[in-house]
Amino acid sequence: MATVLVLIDQPGEGLHKSHRELLTIASGLGGAAVAFLGDLNEAVAQELGARGVRTIYRPSSADVGEFLVAGKAAFLAATVRASSPSAVLLGNSFEAKEIAARAGVQLTSGVITDAVAIGEDFSVTKSVLAGSYAVEAKVITGTPLITVKANTVDVAPAGDGGAPEVVTVDSAMPARAARITGRTAKAASGRPELTEARVIVAGGRGVDGDFTPVEELADALGGAVGASRAATDAGWIEHSAQIGQTGKTVSPQLYISAGISGAIQQKAGMQTAKVIIAVNKDADSPVFEIADFGVVGDLFKVLPQATAEIIKRRS
Ligand code: FAD
């Protein structure tokens, strides 16, 4: 039976939704093992077991996670050599892509990024050209290393599997890799992480400095708040909220774009959203070319009405 290795990097107190998605895919393809970096607490180990993970590989040196990608890639490559999985799954962050690339070089293995579906034979559907096209790709050399976009599968319910076996893997420490000297936890906003969110409400220059209607709609839907570069450059919201070519790439089930014109650089980060709703007062705005539903109107009137209706129906 195929064993698929999932890289779980610094989950903190508990697994993230994106980790659960990767484990769901791995279990569906055969069985899951985990290459784990960070503190492995009891709750995380138990959940990994409940999600069908049979083996957890950990680095022999706790220091590996304290280096930037070089140490992590060396550990991942060593784990692949030690366990011979059928494939390796990683998240789709910039860091995960770089870990995959470096491990791929060390293993002489092919890497596929931006996967949105993986077949039983490890053929991969990936989105390209800013989500304009989907292509089929397959690694033909070595062990496939595949980075998977968030929200590509629904998380399967956890079972009642036993505690996984923990195996230590020796990996060479890169001599001159940059060391992480400190970590500061991001202030909790109570909202989901942008790249993992199933629902995103994003605001652009049209909010004119006031993100309140965007935030209120996001909260009514349990979603995350995103922004165009015009809004982040204006200082109306933090840069980490920027979506697009030079911001984050997101793939939610629902993306509500408010007061955003839909420039190509913005589309590059959100075009693979399953459903796109655009609210813009200019009917000729390019965002309507990719929207599944469009509302021509003032966001300061449309968004509060939507929020009020959602709250009313939920109460
Ligand atoms: P605008 O283009 O000014 O559009 C504002 C929209 O709001 C208009 O369509 C207007 O009709 C509408 N509007 C105004 N008032 C209201 C209202 N009351 N109600 C409803 N609608 C209203 N951009 C990104 O977003 N992400 C990126 O990662 C990114 N990377 C870039 C990289 C490069 C190299 C370059 C050159 C540009 C990049 N940009 C990026 C910038 C991009 O080209 C656009 O300038 C930017 O996306 C425009 O932001 P916007 O749509 O919010 O503003």
Side-chain angles (χ1 to χ4, degrees), residues 48-256:
L48 288 173
R51 294 195 170 281
V53 173
R54 294 176 296 228
T55 314
I56 301 173
Y57 296 94
R58 304 198 66 194
S60 53
S61 162
D63 262 7
V64 169
E66 298 306 312
F67 287 87
L68 295 181
V69 289
K72 298 179 182 184
F75 162 63
L76 184 61
T79 306
V80 170
R81 286 194 199 98
S83 62
S84 305
S86 303
V88 181
L89 304 184
L90 304 91
N92 205 50
S93 64
F94 290 124
E95 187 182 10
K97 287 178 183 175
E98 189 165 342
I99 293 170
R102 286 173 181 249
V105 170
Q106 291 170 37
L107 294 163
T108 320
S109 290
V111 175
I112 299 177
T113 58
D114 299 326
V116 292
I118 304 176
E120 280 176 14
D121 61 348
F122 300 105
S123 57
V124 173
T125 307
K126 63 171 276 173
S127 59
V128 296
L129 299 175
S132 312
Y133 294 90
V135 298
E136 298 294 320
K138 192 169 179 187
V139 168
I140 53 170
T141 303
T143 307
L145 293 128
I146 304 166
T147 74
V148 185
K149 283 194 164 193
N151 295 313
T152 58
V153 289
D154 291 328
V155 173
D160 50 7
E165 180 191 8
V166 178
V167 174
T168 304
V169 175
D170 277 326
S171 68
M173 290 294 285
R176 283 184 288 173
R179 180 184 273 274
I180 296 166
T181 56
R183 287 192 169 85
T184 308
K186 207 170 125 190
S189 68
R191 297 190 182 113
E193 171 61 31
L194 196 53
T195 51
E196 296 185 357
R198 289 173 65 82
V199 176
I200 293 174
V201 186
R205 204 192 306 272
V207 307
D208 201 16
D210 182 5
F211 261 81
T212 312
V214 172
E215 290 172 342
E216 287 178 348
L217 181 55
D219 289 342
L221 291 166
V225 173
S228 72
R229 181 159 149 183
T232 56
D233 279 357
W236 299 337
I237 186 165
E238 67 275 4
H239 275 282
S240 58
Q242 185 185 317
I243 292 166
Q245 182 185 322
T246 43
K248 289 185 174 149
T249 303
V250 297
S251 229
Q253 300 290 321
L254 173 63
Y255 187 93
I256 302 178

Side-chain angles (χ1 to χ4, degrees), residues 204-206 227-231 242-247 259-263 265-266 279-282 285 297-300:
R205 204 192 306 272
S228 72
R229 181 159 149 183
Q242 185 185 317
I243 292 166
Q245 182 185 322
T246 43
I260 298 178
S261 58
Q265 295 90 353
Q266 154 76 197
V279 181
N280 195 301
K281 66 182 184 186
D282 175 5
S285 188
D298 183 345
L299 72 90
F300 289 98

